[in-house]
Amino acid sequence: MRMLPHILIFESSDEIQQKLTAGFAKDLNISPNIRSINKVDVFKTIFQEILPDLVIWDLAFQAIDLTLIGMLQDMKETQPNVSMVFLENQDSLPDLKRKLKELGENVLFMPRDGSCLLSAVTQDFRYEALKASLAQERETAEYYLDVSSGIILGLDTDFNVCLINTNGAAILNYPRDEIIGKNWVETFVAPQDRASFKSVYSGFLSRRNDTPPEYEYWVLSSDGVEKLISWHDFRIRSDNDGVVVLSSGEDITEHQIVQRRREIFVSTLTHDLNTPIRAATQVLELFLAGNFGPITSQQQGILNEVLQSNRFMQRMVDSLLAIYRYEDHRVELNFQIADLNQLIQSIVEVDIAEQYREKNQKVVLNLANNLPRICMDMTEIRRVLDSLLRNAIFFSSEGATIQVSTKIVGKEIQVSVEDTGRGIEPEMLKVLFNRYSGVAKKFRQVGTGLSLYLARQIVEAHNGHIEVESTLGKGSRFYFTLPLQTEKSPCATEERAKAVAQ
């Protein structure tokens, strides 16, 4: 159906044409192509020229004989979708109406007085115009789906595929029609990811407004090859008021392979750097201790700077190695019952004392009295506290005060490190604990993003969480939690064994 309809009217006057023209202008705000014919002998020629969408025939103007019915049949064969309206009066013959009805679909009879004609015709064209518009929008949407380089996937609440684009089918190496209707989980999700996939989607579908984070899982192509896809999900309503999850996926398999090779390279390089850095640090310490003879004050200052750089590099190397162990799930935490307050005091009084004293800073301890001992890996928690304190020292000015506090919050112990530095922009707080968050580069301190990322890995491995609060120009407060000792703690078995032995 064309957006501007073509109407052919057979009548003795222009009365019907005038009514329809006025009606279309009023109801639809369009001017259709209407042609009124009062000579039957030009019917066939006019029809071939115009190819109308609608033919209106006033039976009072011209009776229909077998010859005209044959011409109308030819018209229907040439243009099956053409609609025909015959305006009848009381003298219309039943046999004639029966023959006209045999012309097929879209044949209507209406009173010749025209009482229903205008509303019926305008309503029909309004519907056809809407249908054409929807078809055009659907065609446009399908075009954009097919030009997408990734996977566009639609799943219903039973995980059945209701939509997939051409490129998505190509990535899976299946014909498109073989994917539609299949269960996505059982057919295409790799076995090791099926349980987590169902958990993510079930939670997503049960919450009306929440959107799950970006995530990745492996899918199977037709030849059994696994491909890693990164997904973004949206929840929409289908035509039958059902919920559909629309997912946009990108094949990152090659990227993952390259990334993994790079990580192996960095891990190997970092491991190989570890020994010479430690050796150089030990030699510098021997020089400063006078083991190789006396040194001048100028030499001492230079050696101290080199030593500090070496120690910083050593912490970087240690952090990188630890990160790769956490990400590869190769970390075995050495849990033991320990005094957290005592650990904090040791770090402040020994490990970082030189750093804050060089800047004439003070570290004030606000440690809760009678804090219960908890189950933790002391080496790893020491790494977290050391990182937070060194960052606080670095970002605080000369003579500043840094506060370290502990307290019990519910079933957890909360540890906080508060400085009076420059603060952090609000938009950076959300990504601060991500790997290489960019804050380090902004503040010209290498390694800050790395150490905070590692701190999050360690705390979460202890079933705790780490957060930050910050105000620009006033400072920042980093805090993390560790669970109190319970019967389910990793140390519980050891404690029960000791009790039995006693």
Side-chain angles (χ1 to χ4, degrees):
M1 178 70 70
R2 291 159 290 205
M3 294 304 293
L4 286 179
H6 286 215
I7 302 175
L8 189 59
I9 305 174
F10 288 88
E11 60 177 335
S12 56
S13 66
D14 295 336
E15 179 185 356
I16 299 175
Q17 178 184 9
Q18 292 172 0
K19 287 182 178 180
L20 287 181
T21 301
F24 272 97
K26 179 181 178 182
D27 294 348
L28 301 180
N29 197 28
I30 61 173
S31 299
N33 298 303
I34 301 179
R35 186 160 182 180
S36 180
I37 306 297
N38 54 20
K39 293 183 179 181
V40 176
D41 56 354
V42 299
F43 168 74
K44 192 167 186 178
T45 303
I46 292 297
F47 168 71
Q48 291 174 344
E49 291 177 358
I50 298 179
L51 292 177
D53 300 298
L54 171 65
V55 173
I56 300 175
W57 196 292
D58 184 358
L59 294 178
F61 158 63
Q62 175 68 49
I64 302 289
D65 55 21
L66 292 178
T67 301
L68 288 175
I69 289 176
M71 294 173 62
L72 291 173
Q73 287 174 335
D74 292 340
M75 175 190 293
K76 270 290 190 179
E77 290 177 1
T78 306
Q79 195 173 349
N81 293 326
V82 64
S83 297
M84 296 183 179
V85 176
F86 295 97
L87 304 180
E88 58 178 337
N89 53 29
Q90 294 180 350
D91 299 330
S92 298
L93 299 176
D95 289 343
L96 175 62
K97 290 180 65 175
R98 179 177 54 80
K99 290 181 179 297
L100 291 174
K101 287 180 179 179
E102 291 175 354
L103 291 173
E105 298 179 354
N106 302 330
V107 175
L108 299 175
F109 292 88
M110 291 188 178
R112 187 177 178 279
D113 60 13
S115 58
C116 302
L117 178 64
L118 179 60
S119 61
V121 171
T122 55
Q123 182 177 356
D124 179 64
F125 278 106
R126 184 184 290 110
Y127 169 75
E128 291 296 332
L130 178 60
K131 189 164 67 173
S133 176
L134 290 174
Q136 184 175 6
E137 290 183 10
R138 182 183 180 88
E139 184 178 340
T140 302
E142 289 179 349
Y143 167 77
Y144 283 112
L145 286 176
D146 286 339
V147 298
S148 170
S149 60
I151 301 176
I152 305 297
L153 175 71
L155 300 179
D156 62 20
T157 53
D158 295 322
F159 310 122
N160 296 319
V161 180
C162 53
L163 168 72
I164 191 165
N165 63 332
T166 301
N167 284 331
I171 290 173
L172 295 173
N173 199 27
Y174 277 93
R176 191 173 180 179
D177 56 356
E178 288 187 16
I179 299 176
I180 301 298
K182 293 283 181 64
N183 186 277
W184 179 254
V185 181
E186 301 303 327
T187 310
F188 303 104
V189 178
Q192 68 270 21
D193 286 337
R194 287 173 185 171
S196 60
F197 172 88
K198 287 183 177 180
S199 175
V200 169
Y201 264 68
S202 298
F204 180 40
L205 291 170
S206 65
R207 293 187 293 271
R208 182 168 296 274
N209 297 318
D210 294 342
T211 300
E214 301 173 15
Y215 67 106
E216 304 165 0
Y217 62 84
W218 293 89
V219 299
L220 296 171
S221 62
S222 63
D223 50 6
V225 175
E226 292 190 357
K227 297 184 178 182
L228 184 63
I229 310 296
S230 176
W231 297 95
H232 305 259
D233 294 332
F234 308 90
R235 184 176 47 246
I236 59 176
R237 289 272 174 188
S238 65
D239 293 338
N240 59 0
D241 202 33
V243 178
V244 174
V245 174
L246 187 65
S247 301
S248 169
E250 179 186 2
D251 185 355
I252 60 171
T253 309
E254 290 299 322
H255 172 77
Q256 179 75 2
I257 292 172
V258 172
Q259 176 73 10
R260 183 60 186 154
R261 288 172 179 169
R262 182 166 57 244
E263 289 177 352
I264 291 173
F265 169 76
V266 173
S267 178
T268 303
L269 178 63
T270 304
H271 183 272
D272 291 344
L273 284 174
N274 203 19
T275 300
I277 291 174
R278 289 188 184 280
T281 299
Q282 290 173 358
V283 170
L284 288 168
E285 289 172 345
L286 291 173
F287 266 111
L288 287 167
N291 289 34
F292 301 117
I295 56 176
T296 65
S297 59
Q298 184 178 11
Q299 290 171 331
Q300 185 179 23
I302 294 172
L303 289 173
N304 267 319
E305 288 186 9
V306 176
L307 179 61
Q308 292 304 318
S309 296
N310 261 42
R311 286 174 174 168
F312 180 75
M313 191 181 302
Q314 183 65 58
R315 289 195 298 273
M316 282 279 291
V317 169
D318 290 344
S319 294
L320 275 171
L321 288 172
I323 284 172
Y324 287 121
R325 286 198 299 271
Y326 274 97
E327 291 182 337
D328 284 347
H329 307 288
R330 293 189 288 110
V331 174
E332 293 185 8
L333 297 177
N334 181 26
F335 285 106
Q336 56 186 301
I337 299 295
D339 189 323
L340 184 57
N341 280 350
Q342 193 175 42
L343 177 62
I344 293 171
Q345 287 176 325
S346 172
I347 295 170
V348 171
E349 294 172 3
V350 179
D351 297 5
I352 62 164
E354 185 178 347
Q355 280 68 43
Y356 65 79
R357 286 170 184 164
E358 282 181 357
K359 298 181 70 171
N360 296 317
Q361 295 172 338
K362 291 173 59 179
V363 177
V364 176
L365 301 179
N366 299 315
L367 308 180
N369 294 325
N370 302 319
L371 197 69
R373 287 153 59 87
I374 61 171
C375 183
M376 63 180 172
D377 185 319
M378 289 185 64
T379 301
E380 296 300 284
I381 297 302
R382 179 184 290 272
R383 194 195 299 272
V384 174
L385 289 163
D386 184 88
S387 173
L388 296 181
L389 284 163
R390 288 182 186 277
N391 287 341
I393 292 168
F394 181 86
F395 289 117
S396 297
S397 59
E398 293 276 344
T401 297
I402 297 165
Q403 297 190 56
V404 183
S405 306
T406 59
K407 63 179 179 180
I408 296 177
V409 179
K411 297 181 179 180
E412 298 176 314
I413 292 179
Q414 184 185 96
V415 183
S416 66
V417 177
E418 188 171 356
D419 63 52
T420 55
R422 69 189 73 177
I424 304 166
E425 287 89 343
E427 63 271 16
M428 296 304 301
L429 296 176
K430 297 179 181 178
V431 297
L432 193 61
F433 295 100
N434 292 352
R435 196 177 192 186
Y436 306 115
S437 66
V439 176
K441 185 185 226 180
K442 181 179 181 63
F443 291 144
R444 300 293 185 267
Q445 184 190 15
V446 179
T448 301
L450 198 63
S451 65
L452 292 178
Y453 174 72
L454 178 57
R456 188 188 75 180
Q457 299 285 324
I458 294 171
V459 171
E460 290 179 353
H462 282 74
N463 294 320
H465 64 274
I466 186 168
E467 305 285 346
V468 60
E469 299 170 349
S470 186
T471 304
L472 281 176
K474 293 186 178 181
S476 303
R477 175 179 172 263
F478 287 82
Y479 60 95
F480 66 92
T481 64
L482 297 173
L484 293 170
Q485 170 75 350
T486 67
E487 291 185 358
K488 295 182 179 181
S489 298
C491 304
T493 303
E494 180 185 343
E495 288 292 293
R496 283 195 296 267
K498 288 181 179 179
V500 171
Q502 291 173 357

